[in-house]
Amino acid sequence: RSSDLMAECKEPTYYTLEEIQRHNHSKSTWIILHHKVYDVTAFLEEHPGGEEVLREQAGGDATETFEDIGHSTDARNMSKSYIIGELHPDDRSKLQKPADSFITTVESDSSWWTNWVIPALSAITVVFMYRFYMAEE
């Protein structure tokens, strides 16, 4: 029993993001889910969604993709057996992507064009084409 307690109190093994990124091939496939590091190499062929799905995420943070799919409780429990450690706390901030925003910033001129000007010009063109063809009839 005391060995069980010692195992539970053991410090997690930390991996740097750089270290994890090197495991992005079929011989060694690591992914990050909620800051935990998983070695899913042995699971590639068994993954119900196909091994390509895991390989696309290899060496990086797959949390968002994993959650978007809506994995079952069984899948979540099964995934725990592939945990090999945790992402080093110093590298966790590197994973956080800026939140998607609908507010156009000064730096993103291209989104202003694609979101407003191009659709507006397209609508005007359609209106003129409609009037032109209706006028001929």
Side-chain angles (χ1 to χ4, degrees), residues 4-130:
D4 290 343
L5 286 174
M6 299 231 344
E8 286 178 27
C9 295
K10 192 180 96 170
E11 278 288 310
T13 304
Y14 288 113
Y15 296 97
T16 63
L17 189 55
E18 186 180 322
E19 204 173 354
I20 296 162
Q21 288 170 339
R22 289 195 296 259
H23 296 272
N24 63 353
H25 47 85
S26 59
K27 290 187 165 79
S28 183
T29 308
W30 291 10
I31 59 172
I32 303 164
L33 293 174
H34 300 287
H35 301 233
K36 293 195 179 349
V37 181
Y38 295 73
D39 181 351
V40 294
T41 313
F43 185 61
L44 287 176
E45 291 181 18
E46 299 171 36
H47 186 251
E51 80 177 76
E52 303 80 29
V53 178
L54 292 175
R55 300 239 345 248
E56 284 172 9
Q57 302 295 320
D61 185 15
T63 305
E64 191 175 334
T65 307
F66 182 84
E67 293 303 336
D68 285 349
I69 298 300
H71 284 85
S72 66
T73 306
D74 288 345
R76 291 172 187 279
N77 290 335
M78 188 173 148
S79 71
K80 291 175 185 172
S81 64
Y82 295 98
I83 296 173
I84 57 170
E86 292 185 21
L87 178 63
H88 195 281
D90 293 347
D91 282 355
R92 291 180 183 180
S93 62
K94 296 177 187 175
L95 291 185
Q96 294 170 349
K97 300 176 189 113
D100 287 338
S101 169
F102 292 109
I103 299 167
T104 305
T105 62
V106 175
E107 296 150 3
S108 62
D109 287 334
S110 66
S111 69
W112 184 79
W113 275 96
T114 56
N115 288 341
W116 295 104
V117 176
I118 293 172
L121 289 175
S122 299
I124 291 168
T125 304
V126 168
V127 167
F128 280 116
M129 288 175 63
Y130 177 78

